Amino acid sequence: MADAFFTGRRPGLAVFLNAGDPPLPVLRDVVLALDEQRVDCLELAVPFPNSFTDGPVVRRSATRALEQGVDLDQTLRFVASVASELRHLRIVLLADWSHTVKPRSVSWFLDRLAAEPVDGVLLHGLPPRLRTEYYDAAAERAVPVVTTCYAQSAPEILAEAADRAGAYVYLVARYGRSGTQADQDFTELRGTVEQLRATAPAQVAVGFGVRDRHDVAAIGELGADAAVIGSAAVSRVEHALSDRLDPVTELTNFVSDLKPT
């Protein structure tokens, strides 16, 4: 059994943000506040343009971060600067294959991560033909991988996601772009969650369409180990920046509202 990523309340919480949105000095305070609130995981993205899986909220966030020049080097330096102060929060680095990894190589990228205090990696947009190479290279370097799958994925893809997860399995609730659907029925995922939990050495998180405490509770009722909150968190950052509010306060209040009453 892999080390548990989500060790507090159940379901645990993973929050997605782009590195650089809010700006890195403010993001540092955000990360420390999330740690104080015992959020389990921050999925911190190296910003990249034109994501085919994200809606306008996350795309605008990436654009704001890219306009500040945030790249892999700056993101890793940021993680290194804050990691020693974290007591509970773990940081998973999310990177895009085409934007961040393809110009070099999988080995080069994983070598960089193995030398830094990141707790896991989620590689977005990796071509299927490269998955085995990626999983093997990550295992050789002891870099825990977040695998992804859908309830509609072929049986062999579900089995691979379960088998190769070193951090956790991210079960994506639906196809489409993040933040673009008003309501999500998570109950249809119950069978897939049960299958993954029975076969995966790592824990199972569910995301895409998670907006409030009711969604988090619904994911917990499925038996999942954690809920992943993406666009809903990023939109709080955007609201704070556009209205000249404090992103730390906005996200702290948002996370507090996600917890059971």
Side-chain angles (χ1 to χ4, degrees):
M1 183 73 178
D3 291 340
F5 234 76
F6 305 101
T7 58
R9 62 183 176 272
R10 187 168 173 186
L13 290 177
V15 173
F16 168 92
L17 293 172
N18 274 298
D21 189 54
L24 293 178
V26 180
L27 182 62
R28 177 184 178 83
D29 293 334
V30 167
V31 171
L32 294 175
L34 295 178
D35 182 52
E36 184 69 24
Q37 289 190 295
R38 295 187 67 80
V39 171
D40 299 283
C41 176
L42 172 63
E43 291 184 355
L44 185 64
V46 180
F48 59 96
N50 304 320
S51 171
F52 61 85
T53 60
D54 289 313
V57 170
V58 173
R59 285 185 169 208
R60 288 194 299 268
S61 170
T63 298
R64 289 191 294 270
L66 288 167
E67 287 173 349
Q68 297 178 57
V70 177
D71 57 10
L72 177 64
D73 288 341
Q74 286 198 31
T75 302
L76 289 176
R77 284 198 298 269
F78 172 81
V79 173
S81 74
V82 74
S84 64
E85 300 182 45
L86 303 178
R87 295 174 295 174
H88 181 78
L89 183 74
R90 293 186 175 189
I91 297 179
V92 163
L93 190 82
L94 188 155
D96 180 66
W97 156 253
S98 295
H99 184 74
T100 302
V101 180
K102 185 179 179 181
R104 301 292 187 93
S105 68
V106 168
S107 296
W108 171 86
F109 173 67
L110 291 171
D111 283 341
R112 291 291 312 274
L113 266 58
E116 302 290 348
V118 298
D119 298 297
V121 59
L122 197 170
L123 194 50
H124 174 270
L126 180 70
R129 61 184 173 81
L130 298 178
R131 279 203 298 257
T132 298
E133 174 192 347
Y134 165 61
Y135 293 144
D136 290 345
E140 290 172 4
R141 293 160 176 79
V143 176
V145 168
V146 177
T147 59
T148 59
C149 59
Y150 297 84
Q152 300 85 359
S153 294
E156 61 270 20
I157 299 300
L158 290 171
E160 181 183 61
D163 182 59
R164 302 310 295 260
Y168 53 92
V169 182
Y170 184 170
L171 175 60
V172 183
R174 60 175 174 79
Y175 288 108
R177 290 183 172 176
S178 62
T180 58
Q181 183 167 314
D183 297 305
Q184 174 69 43
D185 180 10
F186 295 101
T187 59
E188 62 191 20
L189 304 175
R190 184 179 302 277
T192 307
V193 170
E194 292 174 350
Q195 176 185 347
L196 290 170
R197 292 204 72 225
T199 56
Q203 293 173 305
V204 178
V206 176
F208 241 65
V210 183
R211 298 173 182 272
D212 54 34
R213 69 160 59 108
H214 303 293
D215 292 334
V216 172
I219 287 171
E221 290 170 2
L222 298 177
D225 297 287
V228 182
I229 300 93
S231 296
V234 175
S235 68
R236 291 300 183 103
V237 173
E238 184 170 64
H239 169 68
L241 295 175
S242 63
D243 288 8
R244 299 177 181 267
L245 302 174
D246 178 18
V248 180
T249 301
E250 286 295 303
L251 281 171
T252 298
N253 291 340
F254 174 65
V255 169
S256 294
D257 288 343
L258 293 173
K259 298 175 183 178
T261 53

